[in-house]
Amino acid sequence: MFVIPIYIEAGISGFESPAAEYTELGISIDELIIKHPNATFIGLASGQSMQDVGIFDGDLLVVDRAEDVSSGDVVVASYNGSFVCKIIDKTNRLLISASKSYKSVYVSPEDDFKLEGVVTTSIRLHKNKIELSRCLPS
Amino acid sequence: MFALVDAVAFYASAEKVFDPSIRSKPVVVLTNNDGCICAICPIARKLNIPKFQPYFKIKNYLEQHHVVVRSSNYELYADLSERMMTVINRFCDDHYVYSIDESFLRFTGFSKIINDWADYGHIIRRAVWRETGLPVGAGFGTTPTLAKAANHAAKKLSGYNGVAVINDEKSRKEILMRMDVTDVWGIGSRLGKKLKLMQINTAWDLACQNPKAMRRMFSVVVERTVSELNGIACLSWDEVKQDKKEIYSTRSFGERVTDLTTLKSALVTHAAIVGRKLRRQKSLTKRIVIFAASSPHEEEHYKKSLLYEFPIPTSDTSVIAKAVSAVIDEIYKPNTRFYRCGIGAIELESESFQQADMFSVSEDKPKMMKCLDTINKRYGVGTLSIGSEKLTQTWNMKRAFLSPHYTTRWTDIPIIKCD
């Protein structure tokens, strides 16, 4: 079922609001964190290896494909059939985890590898969202 | 200069954007209700999988070769299409979205800034690839028909790598000579057969014909095609952008339908789709075909198609739905396992050139339709619908191999591993 919100307006016109001329659009999170809407997608982080840069299991990752990638960036890449989130070291062809207990991965030419984009923002939801619960890893 | 930019095997490529596990595998996409194969990725193309074959006929072959099969994920394709078109739009101020994955560009006054069109094509390709993950081909030509031919060369002929330009005699001859005549824009397979009987086999053969003779033998359309292939622009930009001359809505059922109520409900839904499309391009229809059929693989194949003529041309969903009610008893046959049905608006007229009829009054309620369209546009198709559409819902689409709606549903966003 869809609820269609319709606001009631009274047909009485009194003094015009003195603030009417100063109206601005409300602030929007999208506007702040999505620079290239056509090149941006949102994914769900799964795993602990990026905790030291503040990306926890179940966080949302905002991934921008149009952003230039430099070494040291937190990126999303496709690596042998899955999306992974790592810190990139372009010179040494390494995918580095933020947490020390995870080993770095060397990307060899035989690997199926493609840089997908830069993680420009990560979002932690402090209250569970039902919408997302289905894709949390079981 | 014109350009046609379109995606390589769009549906199949779209499936690969958010599923890296299938990127290096052969992928095919099935049509509505998983009936036929409608898109084949380049890797699968090497296996010689025929397009538009019924899925069940080549199911075994696909399994043998470990081909990944997907149902049409329109929610995903629509979103990716919009992203792709927005990126392409950046490269030209005159941009026309021709279909879900094709886009025409017209460059006026660009000659001073762009001297290498192939280079510009590669810039467009790289931008779309990087920002959306979709591979596109770009064809440039001095007429829309040549742009379409160059696009064909860019994607299908060896040595072009996704971009081709027809801007002089040499490039024109080279590409047209390597193109089958049926690959020319506007030359269908039936017309192609006739042309081949006359030894017109390639696009170049067609370009060498006398346009006037082609007009006498075939039609003014073929005459224009010949001229366009010779670099003489005949199709005006508005004709490229022309409204559709026929509007069909047809679909096969997820499961066979045997009862009248379900069949009617399905037909009324098609009436709503046709009505919506008519209103969107500001057309009215004078005649519609209403049809239903059992599967051709059924022992007693049943097919019934009726022509319905409106006293006054219409685009009103409820008027078209009434036509369905009027003929449903003639179309329905008990104990028949209906496999597909649909409605086609075949004689379209422009809404703005209507002659009033002295003796009959139009039943159309434009205000109500506008209200319906506005609400459905804002809250999603199907928010408001004709009552009889909703009598049963069992005829809904079967999509057994559907991938997640990665970009349009929170439950479906891709998983990114951090381990």
Side-chain angles (χ1 to χ4, degrees):
Chain A
M1 190 179 90
F2 295 95
V3 177
I4 303 174
I6 295 169
Y7 299 104
I8 297 169
E9 280 177 52
I12 311 157
S13 66
F15 287 110
E16 204 187 335
S17 159
E21 277 185 47
Y22 300 92
T23 314
E24 287 184 344
L25 288 177
I27 54 170
S28 113
I29 285 285
D30 273 21
E31 186 194 31
L32 185 71
I33 64 179
I34 299 177
K35 195 163 133 197
H36 307 109
N38 295 300
T40 299
F41 69 94
I42 297 171
L44 192 75
S46 151
Q48 269 85 36
S49 77
M50 296 301 280
Q51 284 188 5
D52 288 18
V53 290
I55 295 173
F56 287 77
D57 193 38
D59 283 1
L60 293 177
L61 302 178
V62 179
V63 187
D64 190 337
R65 292 183 195 269
E67 198 71 24
D68 285 323
V69 179
S70 3
S71 283
D73 280 347
V74 177
V75 299
V76 168
S78 50
Y79 177 71
N80 294 336
S82 347
F83 286 136
V84 296
C85 173
K86 295 280 159 191
I87 297 163
I88 187 96
D89 177 348
K90 282 168 114 178
T91 17
N92 302 309
R93 301 180 62 89
L94 288 177
L95 291 173
I96 306 166
S97 294
S99 309
K100 298 282 178 301
S101 45
Y102 292 81
K103 272 191 184 156
S104 297
V105 180
Y106 174 74
V107 181
S108 77
E110 287 84 57
D111 283 322
D112 243 334
F113 178 81
K114 183 178 171 265
L115 268 176
E116 299 287 330
V118 176
V119 177
T120 53
T121 307
S122 62
I123 301 166
R124 186 150 336 123
L125 301 157
H126 294 278
K127 280 198 169 184
N128 273 344
K129 291 274 176 220
I130 311 161
E131 294 93 320
L132 291 171
S133 56
R134 274 233 319 256
C135 47
L136 282 174
S138 49
Chain B
M1 186 62 92
F2 292 89
L4 178 66
V5 182
D6 73 345
V8 179
F10 178 57
Y11 290 5
S13 299
E15 290 293 335
K16 296 191 180 197
V17 173
F18 291 104
D19 188 353
S21 71
I22 62 168
R23 286 203 189 150
S24 50
K25 292 181 185 161
V27 174
V28 298
V29 178
L30 306 178
T31 50
N32 292 331
N33 284 316
D34 300 339
C36 289
I37 290 179
C38 65
I40 303 169
C41 82
I43 302 170
R45 213 175 279 152
K46 289 186 188 135
L47 297 167
N48 291 321
I49 297 164
K51 219 176 173 182
F52 301 118
Q53 273 283 311
Y55 169 57
F56 74 89
K57 275 194 177 170
I58 55 166
K59 200 174 159 193
N60 287 335
Y61 183 79
L62 297 177
E63 270 168 21
Q64 258 170 41
H65 291 85
H66 308 287
V67 177
V68 178
V69 178
R70 289 278 189 260
S71 306
S72 288
N73 186 346
Y74 293 111
E75 293 82 352
L76 176 70
Y77 308 155
D79 182 66
L80 283 173
S81 165
E82 204 178 307
R83 288 166 182 245
M84 167 182 145
M85 295 309 176
T86 319
V87 176
I88 295 170
N89 198 16
R90 282 213 305 266
F91 294 91
C92 184
D93 55 341
D94 198 354
H95 172 221
Y96 176 64
V97 176
Y98 190 68
S99 71
I100 189 164
D101 74 325
E102 287 175 291
S103 159
F104 266 106
L105 309 175
R106 180 171 64 171
F107 299 93
T108 328
F110 275 65
S111 54
K112 289 194 185 81
I113 359 172
I114 296 167
N115 40 32
D116 189 342
W117 288 101
D119 191 46
Y120 198 62
H122 282 294
I123 295 174
I124 298 176
R125 276 190 83 210
R126 274 199 299 271
V128 178
W129 171 249
R130 179 172 171 187
E131 294 178 34
T132 67
L134 291 167
V136 293
F140 293 84
T142 43
T143 65
T145 308
L146 284 176
K148 184 102 177 168
N151 177 280
H152 173 85
K155 297 196 304 178
K156 301 276 166 69
L157 301 184
S158 58
Y160 285 98
N161 280 324
V163 178
V165 182
I166 298 181
N167 57 353
D168 56 16
E169 266 313 286
K170 188 171 160 274
S171 53
R172 190 170 72 92
K173 192 171 177 183
E174 204 169 279
I175 286 171
L176 295 187
M177 278 179 84
R178 288 172 68 191
M179 250 176 92
D180 195 272
V181 72
T182 51
D183 288 327
V184 174
W185 195 23
I187 306 292
S189 57
R190 222 189 301 165
L191 187 55
K193 268 183 202 153
K194 281 188 204 164
L195 290 169
K196 281 182 182 174
L197 287 174
M198 299 164 59
Q199 300 302 317
I200 302 171
N201 293 309
T202 65
W204 180 252
D205 294 340
L206 183 62
C208 295
Q209 300 303 311
N210 178 340
K212 290 275 169 289
M214 285 289 111
R215 180 183 192 151
R216 276 196 302 277
M217 257 180 282
F218 300 103
S219 66
V220 65
V221 183
V222 182
E223 178 196 13
R224 282 176 173 191
T225 303
V226 172
S227 302
E228 284 251 324
L229 286 174
N230 285 296
I232 303 156
C234 297
L235 288 168
S236 72
W237 190 232
D238 292 329
E239 280 171 293
V240 174
K241 292 161 87 166
Q242 206 174 42
D243 289 335
K244 291 194 171 67
K245 290 188 181 114
E246 287 182 343
I247 291 173
Y248 271 84
S249 172
T250 122
R251 195 191 275 171
S252 47
F253 293 110
E255 274 161 30
R256 301 285 190 268
V257 163
T258 49
D259 68 297
L260 186 128
T261 321
T262 313
L263 182 69
K264 187 178 167 193
S265 162
L267 280 170
V268 171
T269 305
H270 289 303
I273 294 170
V274 167
R276 187 176 75 229
K277 290 186 174 172
L278 283 168
R279 294 191 293 276
R280 193 164 58 201
Q281 66 170 40
K282 299 194 183 352
S283 296
L284 302 172
T285 181
K286 180 90 179 122
R287 285 201 181 97
I288 57 170
V289 266
I290 304 173
F291 65 92
S294 67
S295 160
H297 304 287
E298 204 98 354
E299 262 183 31
E300 272 183 42
H301 179 44
Y302 171 81
K303 190 169 186 285
K304 184 93 181 189
S305 141
L306 288 174
L307 200 67
Y308 187 93
E309 192 171 330
F310 296 101
I312 298 170
T314 180
S315 64
D316 187 307
T317 297
S318 60
V319 175
I320 305 173
K322 264 187 209 155
V324 171
S325 303
V327 301
I328 187 75
D329 289 324
E330 276 182 73
I331 286 180
Y332 178 73
K333 189 181 159 200
N335 303 320
T336 304
R337 286 155 44 85
F338 285 97
Y339 165 70
R340 61 187 285 118
C341 74
I343 287 183
I346 48 170
E347 214 179 289
L348 304 193
E349 297 174 6
S350 163
E351 199 181 83
S352 39
F353 302 106
Q354 278 309 308
Q355 198 156 29
D357 189 316
M358 217 157 68
F359 303 104
S360 41
V361 182
S362 170
E363 283 181 61
D364 280 25
K365 297 173 205 72
K367 276 188 182 160
M368 190 170 86
M369 286 301 121
K370 187 154 186 235
C371 173
L372 180 112
D373 288 339
T374 314
I375 289 175
N376 283 342
K377 197 172 174 192
R378 180 144 169 212
Y379 298 98
V381 169
T383 307
L384 273 191
S385 56
I386 297 266
S388 39
E389 274 184 64
K390 289 285 157 71
L391 290 175
T392 63
Q393 271 299 342
T394 49
W395 69 279
N396 253 334
M397 225 200 306
K398 182 173 97 187
R399 296 194 281 184
F401 315 102
L402 188 61
S403 54
H405 301 320
Y406 296 108
T407 54
T408 52
R409 281 191 205 168
W410 282 113
T411 46
D412 290 9
I413 60 174
I415 301 280
I416 300 170
K417 285 191 190 169
C418 302
D419 49 27

